[in-house]
Amino acid sequence: MKSKNRRTFLRILLAGIAFFFVLIWNKLTFNHLEIIQKEESLLPLNKNKTVSFYKNYIVVTRNDKTNVFSAYCTHLGCRIGNIEMGKIVCPCHGSEYDLDGKVIKGPAFKNLESVPFRITPDGNHIEITA
Ligand code: FES
């Protein structure tokens, strides 16, 4: 009887710990748009390059469509500045993202954060509007 109570207590304790972990997981992972400073709000638009890396942003231009992502990995916040075999790769723990910012290999499980922007009327720059 005593052993059964102990097992029940341990199960409830483990379930509580798991529940707590799930609740705070989003808080533990970085919200990169909150930490990006607006210091880099006008970027040159290089139409001849599919992926351009800037201090805080990654610009992907293909098929006449441009996307801007945070340059910070959604795992633990390392700055990403590398593309390998057509994949955006985090240098810290190897998370990989496709050119749409979607996670294709962990440990990150969240997609790269999209950054709102507009292309300037002259078509030569990207203005970050976040
Ligand atoms: Fe990028 Fe860990 S910080 S994979």
Side-chain angles (χ1 to χ4, degrees), residues 73 75-78 90 92-95 107-108:
C73 182
H75 177 226
L76 292 177
C78 285
C90 177
C92 291
H93 310 107
S95 288

Side-chain angles (χ1 to χ4, degrees), residues 27-75:
K27 296 294 176 196
L28 290 175
T29 56
F30 287 80
N31 182 349
H32 305 99
L33 287 182
E34 288 179 4
I35 63 170
I36 289 175
Q37 302 295 316
K38 279 200 149 190
E39 63 196 42
E40 189 184 33
S41 61
L42 199 62
L43 311 170
L45 178 57
N46 187 345
K47 296 169 188 160
N48 299 323
K49 227 172 153 188
T50 304
V51 182
S52 301
F53 294 96
Y54 298 95
K55 182 178 175 190
N56 293 316
Y57 306 104
I58 300 169
V59 176
V60 178
T61 302
R62 59 185 177 144
N63 303 330
D64 292 329
K65 189 171 183 258
T66 299
N67 285 312
V68 179
F69 303 104
S70 163
Y72 295 93
C73 182
T74 58
H75 177 226

